[in-house]
Amino acid sequence: MHTELCLLLFSFLFFHNTEALRPPGVKTETFLSPPFYLKPGQVANKYYFNIPFPKGHIALKSFNGEVVDEYDNPIPLHETYLHHWVVDRYYGLKDSVPGDENDLSKIILVRNSGLCKHTLGQYYGLGSETRKTDTWVPDPYGIVVGNPEEVPARYEERWLLNVHAIDTRGVTDRLGCTECRCNLYNVTVDEYGHEIRANYTGGLYCCYDKTQCKLRERFESVTRKIYLKYTVEWVEWEPRIVPVKVYILDITDTGTGSYSCKVEYEVKECNSEERKNGDCIDMQTTRLVMPHGGNIIYGVAHQHSGGAGSALYGQDGRLLCTSIPTYGDGKEAGNEANYIVGMSTCYPKPGSVKIADGETLTLISNYSSNQMHTGVMGLFYILVAEERPLPGPPKKMICFNSLISWCIEMSVKTGAVFIAGVTLISIATRSFYKLHRKNQYEALVAA
Ligand SMILES: *[C@@H]1O[C@H](CO)[C@@H](O)[C@H](O)[C@H]1NC(C)=O
Ligand SMILES: *[C@@H]1O[C@H](CO)[C@@H](O)[C@H](O)[C@H]1NC(C)=O
Ligand SMILES: *[C@@H]1O[C@H](CO)[C@@H](O)[C@H](O)[C@H]1NC(C)=O
């Protein structure tokens, strides 16, 4: 008893954040991805189908990951840069054998609620900021998955993990390698053998699986065996849980045409005039229509090194959410200097930040333009709870109704029992009132 109290106090004093205080019923499990191997300067871009994941009809409450080595040591970003990890939901054939699913025509992707049509369909996904970015969905909300009624016959719900990591031990230009500058990777064709267009200076087309970033002369080191270690928190589904929809807004989404989400963009270096005025900020803006509205429950942006913050506004200009990067200032994992190690999040008081059906939102993404950047991103995740009809009649009414239907049922069966019941009830009521009058209580049933 004593120790419990102390522990509780301790947790209040020292872990006063959402990471530590979890309501009862929350389950936590930590998993490892399959291992992958990285030589100095090498890129891994892996897709793992049917990863270990909580099963059943559940509500997801959080998801976080980090890169660890085979001894479970966290690897700092300046050694293995975690460009991104993404978790997609899909239905896979129950009788498929491993490998089958690489053929995407054999699976059914279950995309998030939007807004991009062909990219960014994931439920979760972050990059270097994953160690210090909160993904907790507050009660009574949850990302509801695994409802067996939604899964087509012969299929089951599964999860796909994509990890993109870049080893930067011994490279000539760390930032350049993490920004996938094409000249450092010595590639002229993308991973499908298509010519990379001449004005494409950097981005994912140049740092696909097994590509190699430029190393310093004679640098040598061991091949590392690494894993994405990920932790999922969830609760079993129950009716009191309010489902939220996952939306991912992309700053490169022009809202027109089906391929308008380019995901990556370029930041040009500021000119001397801007530098003199201290205006070296690249601000991108896009307007996006939300087909369905609701209450924003959570919001967070995803940016790369150089990111200077992102914000989402409503149609009338009201601020919905701001998300600002935190840069590390040390060497250890979770605090690596010059890397984004966390993004601030929004937890509006439920009901206080509403979006209307069909509302046009404005997304802005700022980057420092003190130097040029390639392959940067400006995503904004929001979780939206759609307004639902008010819960059914109060309990008393249900009780009353069921009493009536019970009585009717009984009367059909035997009239005698019904009459006896009514008599009993009336006797009981009369003596009840008598008793109360005697004690000069107020009548319970107001006129
Ligand atoms: C760059 O690629 C070309 C052709 O693939 C190859 O011949 C050359 O050796 C590479 N250069 C370096 C520095 O790796
Ligand atoms: C590269 O050129 C194409 C047209 O050839 C243009 O559409 C695209 O915006 C250019 N990209 C950059 C990054 O300048
Ligand atoms: C983005 O940059 C503009 C121009 O410098 C600034 O006015 C705005 O406050 C910035 N917003 C965020 C969220 O950083």
Side-chain angles (χ1 to χ4, degrees):
M1 188 62 204
H2 237 86
T3 41
E4 270 169 40
L5 198 70
C6 283
L7 273 176
L8 194 70
L9 248 159
F10 181 78
S11 63
F12 266 104
L13 288 175
F14 294 96
F15 299 106
H16 192 73
N17 60 30
T18 50
E19 286 292 325
L21 299 174
R22 293 293 193 242
V26 176
K27 298 179 183 175
T28 303
E29 202 167 344
T30 299
F31 306 96
L32 286 181
S33 73
F36 50 100
Y37 298 84
L38 284 174
K39 291 186 191 136
Q42 215 179 26
V43 176
N45 185 29
K46 305 293 183 191
Y47 292 85
Y48 299 117
F49 291 86
N50 203 5
I51 54 165
F53 202 83
K55 297 275 180 228
H57 194 186
I58 58 176
L60 297 170
K61 300 293 278 180
S62 83
F63 191 114
N64 263 92
E66 70 169 330
V67 170
V68 297
D69 69 10
E70 59 194 306
Y71 311 107
D72 200 31
N73 299 312
I75 308 287
L77 294 166
H78 47 82
E79 293 179 8
T80 303
Y81 177 72
L82 183 54
H83 185 280
H84 68 257
W85 57 264
V86 155
V87 175
D88 286 284
R89 181 182 172 194
Y90 71 97
Y91 300 138
L93 281 168
K94 280 180 187 159
D95 58 7
S96 65
V97 296
D100 269 5
E101 298 187 321
N102 292 322
D103 178 358
L104 289 184
S105 69
K106 294 205 172 127
I107 69 170
I108 303 169
L109 271 176
V110 187
R111 297 180 58 86
N112 60 35
S113 298
L115 299 174
C116 298
K117 299 273 189 306
H118 300 277
T119 53
L120 302 171
Q122 68 264 27
Y123 272 61
Y124 286 103
L126 293 172
S128 68
E129 74 274 33
T130 184
R131 285 191 176 104
K132 287 192 176 149
T133 301
D134 208 345
T135 60
W136 175 252
V137 185
D139 276 349
Y141 304 96
I143 300 171
V144 178
V145 298
N147 182 354
E149 285 169 21
E150 292 170 3
V151 185
R154 294 172 33 242
Y155 285 85
E156 64 182 15
E157 186 176 283
R158 293 175 183 165
W159 295 83
L160 159 63
L161 170 70
N162 167 222
V163 197
H164 187 288
I166 304 173
D167 191 303
T168 60
R169 290 172 295 162
V171 298
T172 57
D173 177 353
R174 273 218 165 86
L175 182 68
C177 291
T178 62
E179 289 190 343
C180 300
R181 301 249 176 92
C182 301
N183 60 333
L184 293 168
Y185 285 93
N186 189 27
V187 292
T188 53
V189 293
D190 70 13
E191 74 182 301
Y192 308 105
H194 301 135
E195 201 75 31
I196 294 168
R197 57 168 213 271
N199 65 355
Y200 185 84
T201 47
L204 283 168
Y205 289 109
C206 289
C207 60
Y208 42 93
D209 195 37
K210 297 196 171 74
T211 52
Q212 173 71 48
C213 206
K214 194 170 181 210
L215 291 175
R216 294 195 302 264
E217 294 278 334
R218 290 188 299 278
F219 179 86
E220 272 181 50
S221 189
V222 292
T223 296
R224 242 182 191 159
K225 183 181 188 181
I226 61 176
Y227 303 80
L228 186 82
K229 178 177 164 181
Y230 55 99
T231 299
V232 191
E233 288 182 292
W234 76 98
V235 293
E236 295 298 327
W237 185 83
E238 48 176 309
R240 66 165 193 93
I241 290 164
V242 182
V244 289
K245 288 189 165 176
V246 179
Y247 288 92
I248 304 180
L249 314 182
D250 176 10
I251 196 72
T252 70
D253 186 354
T254 51
T256 53
S258 48
Y259 288 93
S260 64
C261 293
K262 294 196 184 72
V263 185
E264 296 181 310
Y265 66 104
E266 234 172 64
V267 172
K268 292 201 166 50
E269 189 176 331
C270 57
N271 61 33
S272 51
E273 177 116 356
E274 289 165 327
R275 199 179 291 280
K276 219 164 48 203
N277 300 334
D279 282 345
C280 288
I281 286 283
D282 173 275
M283 184 172 99
Q284 299 288 322
T285 303
T286 191
R287 287 170 190 282
L288 299 164
V289 179
M290 291 289 291
H292 300 287
N295 290 306
I296 297 187
I297 301 307
Y298 166 86
V300 70
H302 168 71
Q303 294 191 309
H304 290 184
S305 290
S310 182
L312 191 62
Y313 297 89
Q315 195 160 334
D316 58 359
R318 72 194 188 286
L319 179 66
L320 303 177
C321 176
T322 303
S323 182
I324 306 289
T326 304
Y327 284 85
D329 59 8
K331 276 202 160 303
E332 69 279 17
N335 184 37
E336 301 90 334
N338 304 321
Y339 291 89
I340 295 184
V341 295
M343 293 295 297
S344 71
T345 47
C346 293
Y347 284 100
K349 190 170 157 286
S352 66
V353 178
K354 247 188 243 303
I355 307 172
D357 289 350
E359 184 167 349
T360 301
L361 308 186
T362 299
L363 175 62
I364 71 143
S365 173
N366 284 352
Y367 271 81
S368 159
S369 54
N370 272 316
Q371 63 179 106
M372 67 95 78
H373 294 284
T374 62
V376 302
M377 295 190 195
L379 306 184
F380 214 104
Y381 284 68
I382 49 173
L383 297 180
V384 177
E386 290 183 359
E387 307 256 70
R388 296 201 301 182
L390 288 171
K395 268 213 167 87
K396 242 196 215 144
M397 279 295 287
I398 294 171
C399 214
F400 186 63
N401 285 346
S402 58
L403 186 69
I404 290 179
S405 53
W406 177 78
C407 285
I408 290 169
E409 201 178 89
M410 290 315 279
S411 71
V412 169
K413 279 185 187 159
T414 93
V417 170
F418 178 64
I419 290 162
V422 169
T423 317
L424 256 171
I425 288 169
S426 68
I427 290 170
T429 320
R430 230 175 292 156
S431 46
F432 178 78
Y433 278 116
K434 237 186 249 165
L435 188 77
H436 277 256
R437 257 205 304 278
K438 207 155 75 195
N439 294 335
Q440 295 187 318
Y441 283 150
E442 275 177 40
L444 269 181
V445 182

